[in-house]
Structure formats: structure tokens, C-alpha cells
Amino acid sequence: MSDTQIKLGEVRLSFPSLFRKAVFENVETKFEATVLMPKDSKQHKTVQAAIDKFIAQTFKDGAPKGLKITCFQDGDTKEYDGYEGMMALKGSSNKRIPVFDKDRSPVTEDDDKVYAGCYVNAIFDFWYSSHPKGGKQILANLLGVQFKKDGEAFSDAKVANADAFDDESDEDDF
């Protein structure tokens, strides 16, 4: 790993678009996901230290005026399931993000292994953007995800399974 990359263990996955690009206002954007960690956790300290190190390496004369850390936010400022008391780190990629199981074998979308609410290990890399629309900001690339363990699915991640339906195989189609 490069010195701007961090590996976070056992963080909670939120808003994963790992196998297909996210869609925002009917426009395909990037592959992305957010991970959640408690505010008083080792992971929170790791992310903050990595961002501070990245800023020091990138800006020898100090951070530019108006610099925003848009990739790392206080979960209490969001009204999403599971964000209370958490910090949220969002990363994205133009390429599909590799997803692995516990044994490091590849996971596909059809495996239904990763979902909003499960716990993962994840690798991020920080970068700087200066753009007229977005301003000066620190963003994160999401480089890879490894499934760690199941967690309670967030409310928007619930889908029906076969047991929710009646067996209609004996019904006539008339």
C-alpha cells in the first residue's frame, strides 16, 4: 500500500454501488460506497490521521483557504439509518471496485454477499480536487472491499425473499 492509502477493518457498509455505477438524478455516476465507524473508534483516528498526513504531504505551505474534507463526514449531520454516533467515509471509483469474501475469493453481485448494513474491510486512497463547481476538496478513492461479517440490513436494503410469496405453481393461468 502507498503511504496515502489506508485499510480499515470491520466498518459498516452503507449505500454500496460496488457492482454497478450509482445513479443520481437519472445519470450514471461512479462505483461507490460509504463506510461507517463509531466516532470514538480506532478507525476514526486512522482516517483522521491519514487525511492530516495527506494534507501535509500535498500542501507544503499549509492547506488552501476554503479546503473541504467532503469524503469524511459526521454521521450525526445525516438523517440515514445507522449514521447516529458514526463517522462516514465515502469513496468512489471510475472502475468497478473489487469485492472479496473472507477467504479473498472474488464476490459477484449474484452472490448477494455484500449489502448495506454488513461489515467489511476496505481500502481507501485520498486525493485533492479543485473545481469551479465543487471548490477545493479532499476526496477518497475506494480501492477494494472485503466482506467481514453479516450485520442488520439498513431499512433501504431490505428485499423480499421467496418465503414472502405463496406457492402459485398449482394455480391456473386463466
Side-chain angles (χ1 to χ4, degrees), residues 46-101:
T46 298
V47 173
Q48 192 59 60
I51 290 171
D52 293 344
K53 182 178 180 182
F54 175 79
I55 290 171
Q57 288 177 345
T58 305
F59 308 104
K60 302 297 181 200
D61 298 326
K65 186 175 179 159
L67 179 68
K68 298 179 278 187
I69 317 293
T70 54
C71 62
F72 196 46
Q73 307 224 341
D74 183 340
D76 288 334
T77 65
K78 309 287 181 191
E79 294 198 19
Y80 301 134
D81 193 16
Y83 276 58
E84 186 177 332
M86 299 287 179
M87 292 299 293
L89 177 61
K90 180 179 181 178
S92 63
S93 176
N94 289 320
K95 298 179 195 170
R96 193 181 80 68
I97 298 159
V99 181
F100 303 98
D101 206 339

Side-chain angles (χ1 to χ4, degrees), residues 18-19 96-101 105-114:
L18 300 170
F19 303 106
R96 193 181 80 68
I97 298 159
V99 181
F100 303 98
D101 206 339
S105 63
V107 172
T108 68
E109 183 175 18
D110 291 338
D111 294 329
D112 285 333
K113 188 80 174 181
V114 293

